[in-house]
Amino acid sequence: MTIQQPNTFRGGPDERGHFGIYGGRFVAETLMPLILDLEKAYTDAKSDPAFQKEMDGYLTHYVGRPSPLYFAERMTQHLRGAKIYFKREELNHTGAHKVNNVLGQLMVARRMGKKRIIAETGAGMHGVATATMCARFGLDCVVYMGAVDVERQKPNVFRMKMLGAEVRPVQSGSKTLKDAMNEALRDWVTNVADTFYCIGTVAGPHPYPMMVRDFQCIIGRETREQLMEAEGRLPDSLIACIGGGSNAMGLFHPFLDDKEIEIYGVEAAGHGLKSGKHAASVAGGRPGVLHGNRTYLLMSDDGQINEAHSISAGLDYPGIGPEHAWLNDVGRVKFLSATDDEAVAAFQLCSKLEGIIPALEPAHALARVLDLAPQKPKDHLMVVNLSGRGDKDLASVADYLGTKGG
Amino acid sequence: MTTRIDRRFAALKAEGRAALVTFLTAGDPDFETSLAITRALPKAGADVIELGVPFTDPMADGPAIQAAGLRALHAGQTLRKTLEMVRDFRKSDDATPLVLMGYYNPIYIYGVNRFLVDAKAVGVDGLIVVDLPPEEDDELCVPALKSGLNFIRLATPTTDDKRLPAVLNNTSGFVYYVSITGITGSAAPDTVKVANAVARIKRHTKLPVAVGFGVKTAVHARAIAAGADGVVVGSALVEAVKGSLDKDNKATSRTIKTVTDLVAALAEGVRAARRVAAE
């Protein structure tokens, strides 16, 4: 299959929410009127200077932006190749990039007069960000979280409760992120009149993939400015982990039309791509329809969705944002993967070399940095999105190393 | 072109009563039992049969139908087997309309064109696909209509008068009014509100309107049937299947009768709400 190269990689989606064949609005009729309302409310907000000004204020004084672009000197020396920069999204309030999106969506929800917010969460970072902003804005907050994830991300469950959110463990299916999203959609369809669904990644029915991307693009825009200041030029490569892909899209999107820049997305390979126990939907899946959009999904030959596996609860999802699916097909983003073992090794190395304990999610990106960076010349500028901090993962990693005898 | 669905609703209108539309998940608890139940439904009083196509992630369904889908999948049900079930059913029944209801992904993966050819060939009359709103009509709705299948759309309490024409355009067979904002098997809907909603939809279409989501008892079916052209019962039947299974979710000697008894009671309720034929 040959695909016509577009004039711009930043032009999507079309008015029906499509990125090539991906995206769309595959939802029950009950939700459709609301999704059309949301699209209108978001379009209005986007063109309202007062909305942007208010958001900028929160981003500066509440979230703590801009996040630093940090030269990872010891990791660079260790790998003896590319000059490595970390975009420090883990320093944001709530400890990850998730808050950028939640702030934007909840400001839209307030414009729409919605008083009750629901969210799904995997690792709990989106849940914590949602609970935090709901506390700040005085909104009711219900977070759906797979029962398996509730168990492996206990500190975040406690944080959400402390912030006044109700955490509802989801017992259906694989009891992870995909099931939390099913349950959130069921809540939404039931409470459609007063409820706003704050989706945590660049997936779901249009306009979510576009809207979440727009709110996350601040990561890439800052990176452009900061690297220009530090090095006087743009980066040579970008790399980020991909579950649904919001941190990656936020970093990548402002650079998509700088065609000389190499862009890498890293999926979770779990026990290995051949094991069948992984969460790499591009590497191991095919196009299908779930949760409101068409995208790459892990599934059986009968179109039944397979359970994903990853040590990282935030990547443990059998799909990927539709714009990433398109960027893969047109060849603009190269998709790689990293196993649980590789991610844990990178987690340890980053902690020891840089004094930064990364979340297990960006540890997947770091795992590929470990082999990409040494292949590059010393003047190659590589930016990796350090999308979250690893405090929440300490127990998981300790367990993992314990059972591995490490 | 009239279909089995058109003919059945026309005949019931002449009789002056509403249709009982039964929903059961195909392959629950296993292929053979599910086929036997399906075959027994018309005699028990079902006027239109909906067969649920199991899907791992049924985001519009409540716990009862979620569990039924998983039972069927664990027993090896696939979309191909569901089509085989329809073919077997048609060997002994060429009159009862049969509608497949489910989610888009299994059909998309089967291949839309191949699916439409096969569905038509085995005797499927219509499709209800929960996650295909009018905005995605190019995917399946338009090709299905071209191949002579009915495409039955859901209208909901959030579908206002402005949106109704878009929902009704390209809808055929009947309109399925979802009586509540919520998932299948939720709390019972208010019958007065439902009657008003059906009247509102009827101002926009000549198609029959069937009402579902939350209808559980014969009394309730009767109340809904007084103001609609059809009453859909799903979760209550699926619960009846579940209640008849052994501890390993295997069928027992009671399974078929438990379901047909409930269908008979519901049919009695629907028939008791006889309306004037000239309405």
Side-chain angles (χ1 to χ4, degrees), chain B residues 53-114:
Chain B
V53 176
F55 183 49
T56 39
D57 294 81
M59 47 186 202
D61 284 302
I65 294 178
Q66 289 174 41
L70 291 180
R71 286 196 298 272
L73 291 172
H74 286 151
Q77 192 71 9
T78 59
L79 179 52
R80 182 192 306 271
K81 285 190 178 174
T82 299
L83 292 171
E84 278 172 29
M85 188 175 283
V86 177
R87 191 181 58 206
D88 289 351
F89 170 79
R90 279 277 170 253
K91 287 175 188 165
S92 57
D93 187 321
D94 194 40
T96 308
L98 193 146
V99 174
L100 295 185
M101 178 166 183
Y103 296 81
Y104 184 42
N105 198 54
I107 295 171
Y108 178 69
I109 296 305
Y110 192 96
V112 165
N113 291 332
R114 186 162 77 96

Side-chain angles (χ1 to χ4, degrees), chain A residues 16 18 21 23-33 36 172-173 178-179 181-183 185-187 189-192 286-292 294 297 299-306, chain B residues 54-62 66 70 73 77-80 104-106 108-110 130-139 154-159 163 167 178 180-183 186:
Chain A
R16 295 168 63 202
H18 293 127
I21 68 163
R25 291 175 288 206
F26 296 88
V27 295
E29 171 60 23
T30 310
L31 295 179
M32 201 58 224
L36 295 172
S172 60
K178 130 183 126 73
D179 311 284
M181 197 151 182
N182 288 334
E183 220 45 50
L185 284 163
R186 290 181 187 124
D187 179 312
V189 95
T190 306
N191 301 295
V192 67
R286 55 174 160 155
V289 173
L290 180 71
H291 293 155
R294 177 168 19 235
L297 296 168
M299 66 175 107
S300 75
D301 290 340
D302 185 44
Q304 306 297 336
I305 306 304
N306 288 342
Chain B
F55 183 49
T56 39
D57 294 81
M59 47 186 202
D61 284 302
Q66 289 174 41
L70 291 180
L73 291 172
Q77 192 71 9
T78 59
L79 179 52
R80 182 192 306 271
Y104 184 42
N105 198 54
Y108 178 69
I109 296 305
Y110 192 96
V130 178
D131 51 355
L132 285 179
E135 282 73 7
E136 302 292 349
D137 267 359
D138 298 345
E139 294 282 338
L154 305 173
T156 72
T158 60
T159 314
R163 184 167 166 78
V167 169
V178 175
I180 48 155
T181 55
I183 52 181
S186 303

Side-chain angles (χ1 to χ4, degrees), chain A residues 341-360:
Chain A
D341 282 345
E342 291 172 319
V344 170
F347 177 97
Q348 292 172 285
L349 187 70
C350 180
S351 302
K352 281 177 185 154
L353 285 178
E354 295 292 349
I356 296 170
I357 301 178
L360 278 170

Side-chain angles (χ1 to χ4, degrees), chain A residues 9 50 97 124 176 207 295 313 337 347 376 399:
Chain A
F9 290 100
H97 69 291
T176 60
T295 189
S337 64
F347 177 97
K376 305 293 183 191
D399 280 356

Side-chain angles (χ1 to χ4, degrees), chain B residues 229-275:
Chain B
D229 303 305
V231 181
V232 189
V233 182
S235 295
L237 292 171
V238 163
E239 289 282 19
V241 172
K242 184 185 169 202
S244 75
L245 304 178
D246 70 14
K247 62 177 177 23
D248 300 317
N249 280 336
K250 295 278 192 292
T252 64
S253 56
R254 297 184 294 123
T255 299
I256 296 169
K257 188 167 182 313
T258 303
V259 177
T260 51
D261 283 356
L262 178 54
V263 169
L266 291 164
E268 207 168 297
V270 168
R271 283 158 209 246
R274 181 173 292 264
R275 289 183 294 152

Side-chain angles (χ1 to χ4, degrees), chain A residues 50-66:
Chain A
F51 179 86
Q52 195 57 51
K53 186 159 179 267
E54 188 186 354
M55 186 155 68
D56 289 346
Y58 285 117
L59 285 170
T60 305
H61 302 292
Y62 192 71
V63 176
R65 302 203 71 93

